[in-house]
C-alpha cells in the first residue's frame, strides 16, 4: 500500500486508523474503558499485525456515545445494551421506511 492509498482510506469511516492510546485520548477516557466496551461486545476493534487494537471513526462515535451514558451514571453494561438497542431500532425504522416506499410506488391494483 502506498502513502496515497493510506491517505485516501483515512476518509473511510470504517478504516481502523487510531491506536487504543490515541482513541482514548481523543475520547477523553481510559484505555480500560475501551477494553470494557470491547468486552461488552459494543465494538470490536481490528488488530494490527502486531496484535494491537485499532479503532475506526465509526467505532469512536459509538464509544463516545457509551462514554456519554456512563458519565450520566448509567452502568457500562447497560450503556452498551442501550446503544445496541438504539442501533437495532434505527435499522428497523430504515427497513420499514423502505417497505413503505416500495408499497407506495407499486400503487393500488387496477379494478376489474
Amino acid at each position: 500500500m502506498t502513502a496515497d492509498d493510506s491517505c485516501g482510506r483515512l476518509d473511510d469511516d470504517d478504516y481502523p486508523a487510531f491506536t487504543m492510546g490515541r482513541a482514548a485520548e481523543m475520547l477523553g477516557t481510559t484505555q480500560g474503558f475501551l477494553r470494557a466496551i470491547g468486552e461488552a461486545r459494543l465494538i470490536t476493534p481490528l488488530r494490527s499485525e502486531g496484535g494491537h487494537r485499532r479503532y475506526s471513526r465509526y467505532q469512536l462515535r459509538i464509544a463516545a456515545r457509551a462514554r456519554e451514558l456512563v458519565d450520566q451514571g448509567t452502568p457500562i453494561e447497560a450503556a452498551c445494551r442501550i446503544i445496541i438497542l438504539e442501533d437495532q431500532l434505527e435499522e428497523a425504522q430504515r427497513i420499514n421506511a423502505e417497505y413503505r416506499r416500495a408499497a407506495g410506488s407499486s400503487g393500488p391494483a387496477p379494478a376489474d
Side-chain angles (χ1 to χ4, degrees):
M1 176 184 301
T2 66
D4 289 338
D5 291 340
S6 62
C7 287
R9 294 191 72 187
L10 291 176
D11 290 335
D12 181 355
D13 257 5
D14 296 318
Y15 181 68
F18 304 100
T19 63
M20 177 180 269
R22 180 69 180 126
E25 179 183 313
M26 290 170 67
L27 296 169
T29 190
T30 65
Q31 293 181 17
F33 176 81
L34 291 172
R35 279 193 285 285
I37 62 174
E39 289 169 8
R41 297 187 179 165
L42 179 61
I43 58 174
T44 303
L46 292 169
R47 297 282 182 151
S48 68
E49 290 181 17
H52 300 282
R53 290 173 179 91
R54 305 283 296 195
Y55 297 88
S56 68
R57 286 188 297 178
Y58 173 74
Q59 290 172 323
L60 293 183
R61 283 195 301 273
I62 292 171
R65 174 72 175 124
R67 180 169 185 249
E68 179 183 302
L69 289 169
V70 169
D71 286 351
Q72 293 172 1
T74 306
I76 196 163
E77 298 82 12
C80 292
R81 186 67 182 139
I82 288 167
I83 294 166
I84 290 167
L85 290 170
E86 287 174 341
D87 188 53
Q88 290 172 346
L89 175 61
E90 183 179 320
E91 178 67 8
Q93 289 173 331
R94 185 191 61 76
I95 291 168
N96 284 339
E98 285 178 15
Y99 285 144
R100 281 200 269 325
R101 278 193 297 277
S105 66
S106 63
D112 287 330

